[in-house]
Structures are given as C-alpha cells and as structure tokens.
Amino acid sequence: MVLNILHYPDPILAQKAKPVDKLTPELRALIGDMVETMYEKEGVGLAAPQVGHSVRLICLDPTGPKERTNLMVVFNPEIVAREGFVEDEERCLSVAETSCKIIRSDKITVRGLDQTLAPVRYECDGYLSRVFQHEIDHLDGKTIVDHMSRLKRTMYEKKIKKWQI
Ligand code: NI
C-alpha cells in the first residue's frame, strides 16, 4: 500500500524516533508499504517518521525506482565511523519544492539490524553514504530544513505559510 508522506513542519518529523527491539506483524507490513511508497514517489530513501511512524526504520535503494537492484532495509541504523567531508545538493520527499546544499561525511560505516533483526554493517561512500546520513537524520527529528542557512530557512518558512492559508 502506498502511504501518505508527511510534510515539514509536521511535528512527527521533528521527533526522535524510538528504537525497535521486536519484529511485529505491523512492522513487517510497514516495511513492505515503505518500500512500495519509496519507489512510487521516486525516492531513493524513506524513513518511518515520514509516513507517520516514529520508529527507527529506514529503507533505501540508491539505484532508484527504475532499477530497484540495491534495496536495503535497516532498523536502528547507527553511524559508527566517519571519514572526510563532501558537499552536495539534497532534496527530500517531506520538504516540498526546495533543495539544500549539505556537507556530509564522505565515507561512513553504518551498523544496524536487517529485516529479520540480524545485525548488519554497511561500509559506504559517495551517494549511498549521503542517502544513509539523510535518512538517519529523519530518525533524529531532522530534515534538510535544519541544514539551511538562517536566511534560506526564513524564506522557506514564509513560502510554506502561504501554502497553509
Ligand atoms: Ni528526506
């Protein structure tokens, strides 16, 4: 089922999501729905808070909706090592009609649990590293808006206020 994506400034997006320690049928269904939603919305990553569930679960596929050849589903992802910095432009399904240049770590090591709650570890760099960091930000209540300069953020807040009227 394709889920509704919450948009900034929805308060769920600003919450710190809770770790998962037990796999329930609801969580299994949520994984399937999140993957379907990510591909349908042409995203390369999605975090559970974006669909209204404040739990530490992300899915990502840097190959995108056309290829769909590198799907990863990770519970409780944690960055345990970082190396170097790189700046690039990012967009977010929850932050409409804007983008933001963000400096991220270049290479990272991510530890977490897979779909069966077995430990997994990913060493990544480049685009995948960036997507991981973006999605983990969501679990900590952060979006690309939190990376904007004060001026850019003020202008963006003004723009979305107009949409809400
Ligand atoms: Ni996002």
Side-chain angles (χ1 to χ4, degrees):
M1 182 172 66
V2 175
L3 304 170
N4 185 34
I5 292 187
L6 301 182
H7 288 94
Y8 179 85
D10 193 296
I12 292 179
L13 294 172
Q15 281 175 21
K16 197 169 162 68
K18 290 199 173 69
V20 173
D21 56 11
K22 215 177 112 205
L23 203 51
T24 60
E26 289 77 17
L27 276 173
R28 274 205 196 96
L30 179 62
I31 292 172
D33 288 344
M34 279 176 60
V35 171
E36 192 181 339
T37 305
M38 173 178 74
Y39 287 137
E40 174 68 26
K41 306 285 181 188
E42 304 198 334
V44 288
L46 194 66
Q50 292 183 273
V51 290
H53 295 264
S54 197
V55 293
R56 303 189 81 80
L57 165 64
I58 60 172
C59 61
L60 49 162
D61 186 342
T63 70
K66 287 200 180 106
E67 278 192 45
R68 306 188 181 195
T69 49
N70 194 12
L71 177 64
M72 286 161 270
V73 174
V74 190
F75 286 108
N76 308 340
E78 204 184 330
I79 299 169
V80 295
R82 300 173 180 268
E83 205 188 305
F85 295 97
V86 60
E87 187 181 48
D88 208 347
E89 198 91 20
E90 292 182 24
R91 294 186 161 271
C92 178
L93 292 173
S94 292
V95 185
E97 288 184 36
T98 190
S99 63
C100 182
K101 270 197 174 169
I102 301 176
I103 297 170
R104 299 280 192 189
S105 299
D106 184 10
K107 295 179 185 172
I108 58 167
T109 304
V110 178
R111 234 169 32 191
L113 304 171
D114 71 8
Q115 297 199 42
T116 64
L117 295 191
V120 274
R121 190 185 169 94
Y122 294 101
E123 313 247 340
C124 45
D125 57 11
Y127 191 50
L128 179 59
S129 166
R130 180 166 295 274
V131 178
F132 259 117
Q133 290 172 77
H134 178 118
E135 299 314 327
I136 293 171
D137 262 6
H138 278 301
L139 303 183
D140 293 326
K142 281 174 86 176
T143 67
I144 61 169
V145 175
D146 297 288
H147 289 275
M148 288 176 181
S149 67
R150 193 180 292 180
L151 176 65
K152 186 170 171 135
R153 186 174 180 145
T154 304
M155 283 165 57
Y156 186 68
E157 307 269 6
K158 265 191 198 154
K159 186 163 138 177
I160 58 173
K161 254 191 200 126
K162 273 187 207 150
W163 298 341
Q164 285 161 348
I165 291 167

